[in-house]
Amino acid sequence: MTAAPAPAAFVPFRRVALIGLGLIAGSMAHAMRQGGLAHHIAGHARSAETRAVAAEIGLVDSVHDSAAEAVAGADLVVLAVPVGAMGAVAAEIAPYLEPGAILTDVGSVKQAVIDAVAPHVPAGVHFVPGHPLAGTEHSGPRSGFAGLFRNRWWLLTPPPGGDAAAVERLSGLVRAMGANVDLMEPAHHDLVLAVTSHAPHLIAYTMVGVADHLRRVTESEVIRYSAAGFRDFTRIAASDPTMWRDVFLHNKDATLDILGRFAEELFVLQRAIRMGDGQQLHDYFTRTRAIRRGIIEAGQDTAQPDFGRTPAVPVPGAASAD
Ligand code: NAP
């Protein structure tokens, strides 16, 4: 692929090492290539099968059997494995990280990843944790695409007193891949994501589970008439089971807090329905409609009737803010 020139101000990384070669790492590889943002992209995945697919489709410039080989000489290392695997991977690569290198991750939870990774980071290596708020329900080395991060947010949660130049350098890469950067405290990140992503995913999993258990509605009816809201739940509930198991296990407190509040609200609406309180339901739905308008105005979705499920670029699934 011919690389387009990077934005004038951005100096490409010499060697980027992607550890994990799934949706997020693959999308980064495509975006970095398209933008000419790295001279060499090295990759490693745990299984021989994923490594073989990555090599076959030319996802990265070099595929390595070990994470240590991939990170050797890299000035940027990206941990793109499930949240629960971050600590072990960091311990494995730590002795091979170059002084001055930037180490980042893309995990959907931040405090638990920092707790697991930071103790392994050698002096002179700059750890800048991150999380792209972009995803689809697809996973694996074939699922990535260059436009995944376009106009999405990428949150960075650097430690206090960390290297400001490293944060700026990583921010430059993120912007060059089309995303917007914001800095946040890790605990605040985890609470925000519990509201916007983690609890909604659990609710979607639950709703699909309810339909599965409800024998009075046949499976074919659920599938045939799924346009009525259920379809969106099924898309979310098709997300990678390993990734989401790890998200809930590692963002336990914030998710449980939000689910507690959710249950309270649900009881309020349940009672309004039981009591026939149409005014309360109408007022509630009017407030929630305003939130939807705010999301559209912020450019994070379109006002089209498919609620933005049709992506702007041809991809094997619609993008969602994970
Ligand atoms: P993915 O497509 O499932 O890819 C995961 C990669 O991690 C695969 O290459 C896999 O290797 C490797 N891996 C899995 N378990 C591992 C282990 N125990 N040790 C070492 N490597 C392991 O996942 P993804 O969607 O790219 O997600 C990667 C990270 O991004 C996760 O931390 C997730 O929370 C975060 N994230 C995901 C989304 C999203 O919507 N998907 C959005 C934002 C952030 P094999 O293929 O060889 O098993």
Side-chain angles (χ1 to χ4, degrees), residues 69-93:
E69 269 175 34
V71 306
D75 48 352
L76 175 65
V77 174
V78 183
L79 305 181
V81 298
V83 164
M86 296 280 184
V89 172
E92 186 187 340
I93 62 171

Side-chain angles (χ1 to χ4, degrees), residues 21-24 46-47 50 80-82 85 106-108 132 134-135 139-140 243 322:
L21 291 171
L23 171 71
I24 301 297
R46 174 184 57 165
S47 70
T50 297
V81 298
V106 294
S108 305
S139 51
M243 170 187 156
D322 131 82

Side-chain angles (χ1 to χ4, degrees), residues 135-205:
T136 75
E137 69 277 29
H138 300 286
S139 51
R142 294 184 195 273
S143 60
F145 58 100
L148 179 67
F149 310 117
R150 205 165 297 142
N151 202 28
R152 298 289 172 179
W153 285 97
W154 196 306
L155 302 178
L156 300 179
T157 62
D163 188 77
V167 175
E168 198 35 57
R169 181 96 173 101
L170 184 60
S171 300
L173 175 70
V174 166
R175 288 193 197 99
M177 289 191 294
N180 307 308
V181 183
D182 223 344
L183 304 186
M184 226 180 235
E185 293 277 318
H188 187 65
H189 165 280
D190 291 352
L191 182 63
V192 169
L193 266 291
V195 178
T196 57
S197 170
H198 305 169
H201 270 79
L202 200 75
I203 292 161
Y205 280 123

